[in-house]
Amino acid sequence: MVQSKFRSFLQTSIQNGTPVFFDGGMGTMIQAKGVTGFGLPEELNFTHEELIRSIHEQYISAGSHVITANSFGANSIKMKGSLHTASEASRKAIELIHQAVEQVKHSQEVFAAIDIGPTGHLLEPMGKLSFDEAYEAFKVCAVSAQSAGADLAIIETMSDLYEAKAAILAVKENTSLPIIATMTFQSNLRTLTGADVLNCVTYLEGLGVDALGFNCGGSLEEAEKLAEQFLEHASLPLLTQPNAGIPVVEKGITCFKITPEIFAQTQERIHLSGF
C-alpha cells in the first residue's frame, strides 16, 4: 500500500487521539446560496465556479482538514446527456478545491477528496446494471481525480455493499488513492439492501479500505447507535457524517432543525467513546 501524505496524517491523528475534521454538505450550501435552475450539481463546477469555490473556502476557514469535491454524481451513468463528461467534471471538481486552498489563509493541513456516490441504479441481480458497468463508471471518476491532484477518495452514501465493492475496486485497482467508504442506513440500522453494521464492517475491511463509517441517515440518536456498533466491530478509523437530524420541508425548502451546538455535542460524544 502506497504511504500517501493523507495516510500519514490520518495515522498520526489517530495515534494522538485528535479528530480529523471533514467538511459538511454541498447540496445544502448550494441551496443556501439561492442557486436554482441547474440540472446536475456537477455542472455547477463549470457554470458557477465561484460558487463552488466559495463553499470550499468557507469549509477551509472553518477548520476542515478534508474538503470534498463537488463530484458526488460524476460518473458516466448519472452524467449521460450532460454537456460535460464525468472525467471532465471530476477533474474540474478537484481543481476548484486546490484553487480554494490557495485563496484561504489556514493553519491546518487540507486534503482534496474526490467524492464518489452511487450510480442511482441497483446492480444485478436486483437491478439491471452490471458490476462491470458500475466499475467502469467509478474508474473514470477516480483516475481523472488522481490526475488532477486528489489526495484521497471518499466513497459515500452507499446502500448496497455490492455497488460499494465496485467503487472500491475501481479506485484501488486503478489509482493509489487512500479510500474511505461510508454506508447509509435506515431507521432499523440496516442498509436499503439489508446489511447491518457487522456485515458492512466485515465486508469493507476485507476490501482493504483505509477508513469506514456512515453518512446521512436519520436522527442523531440513530447516529450514536450506529457509531457504537461501528466502534465495537471495526478495527479501522471511523468516519461519522450524519445529517443534522431528520430534515423537514418548509415553503419548499429543506431545513434541518438541529442546532450546531447539539450536532457538535453528539459528534464529540461519538469521538470520546472511541477512546
Side-chain angles (χ1 to χ4, degrees):
M1 182 178 290
V2 176
Q3 187 63 16
S4 72
K5 187 176 180 181
F6 176 74
R7 285 194 179 104
S8 297
F9 176 77
L10 179 61
Q11 290 173 1
T12 300
S13 298
I14 296 300
Q15 290 169 359
N16 294 337
T18 55
V20 176
F21 291 102
F22 287 61
D23 57 2
M26 173 60 71
T28 48
M29 292 292 282
I30 293 173
Q31 178 179 279
K33 301 289 186 179
V35 177
T36 59
F38 57 90
L40 297 171
E42 291 72 25
E43 293 173 350
L44 296 176
N45 293 337
F46 303 93
T47 62
H48 292 69
E49 292 184 33
E50 180 54 38
L51 167 70
I52 303 303
R53 189 163 47 240
S54 69
I55 292 172
H56 293 325
E57 290 173 1
Q58 285 182 266
Y59 280 129
I60 295 169
S61 296
S64 298
H65 298 109
V66 179
I67 301 298
T68 310
N70 182 36
S71 59
F72 181 79
N75 62 71
S76 57
I77 296 169
K78 277 193 171 181
M79 295 197 69
K80 184 178 181 180
S82 172
L83 293 175
H84 301 278
T85 67
S87 177
E88 291 170 340
S90 299
R91 176 178 290 277
K92 187 68 172 180
I94 295 298
E95 290 174 353
L96 290 174
I97 294 177
H98 288 309
Q99 291 171 16
V101 171
E102 293 176 0
Q103 289 298 316
V104 180
K105 292 182 179 179
H106 56 88
S107 58
Q108 78 277 14
E109 290 200 68
V110 179
F111 300 92
I114 188 66
D115 188 20
I116 300 177
T119 61
H121 297 269
L122 287 172
L123 270 63
E124 297 172 338
M126 291 185 291
K128 297 181 179 180
L129 185 67
S130 73
F131 182 90
D132 289 344
E133 288 173 323
Y135 178 99
E136 288 300 319
F138 295 133
K139 173 184 173 181
V140 169
C141 178
V143 170
S144 299
Q146 178 166 268
S147 66
D151 297 300
L152 68 149
I154 298 177
I155 297 168
E156 64 152 311
T157 323
M158 290 290 175
S159 57
D160 177 13
L161 283 171
Y162 195 40
E163 185 173 22
K165 178 180 180 179
I168 292 167
L169 292 182
V171 177
K172 198 175 186 67
E173 296 175 350
N174 298 282
T175 76
S176 59
L177 296 174
I179 301 170
I180 298 177
T182 60
M183 307 296 293
T184 188
F185 293 82
Q186 302 179 103
S187 58
N188 61 359
L189 306 188
R190 288 181 177 269
T191 67
L192 180 65
T193 52
D196 62 15
V197 171
L198 178 57
N199 294 149
C200 293
V201 169
T202 303
Y203 199 88
L204 296 175
E205 289 197 353
L207 288 169
V209 300
D210 293 86
L212 45 72
F214 62 91
N215 70 295
C216 296
S219 68
L220 289 181
E221 290 76 16
E222 291 170 9
E224 291 198 68
K225 292 177 182 177
L226 284 168
E228 180 182 358
Q229 292 187 27
F230 268 98
L231 290 169
E232 178 183 356
H233 299 300
S235 61
L236 295 175
L238 173 64
L239 173 61
T240 65
Q241 288 187 313
N243 283 336
I246 300 173
V248 297
V249 179
E250 296 181 348
K251 297 181 180 180
I253 299 176
T254 302
C255 304
F256 292 89
K257 294 297 188 178
I258 298 296
T259 65
E261 291 76 17
I262 292 175
F263 185 85
Q265 290 166 9
T266 300
Q267 291 287 67
E268 183 179 25
R269 284 196 299 271
I270 290 173
H271 170 66
L272 292 176
S273 67
F275 292 93

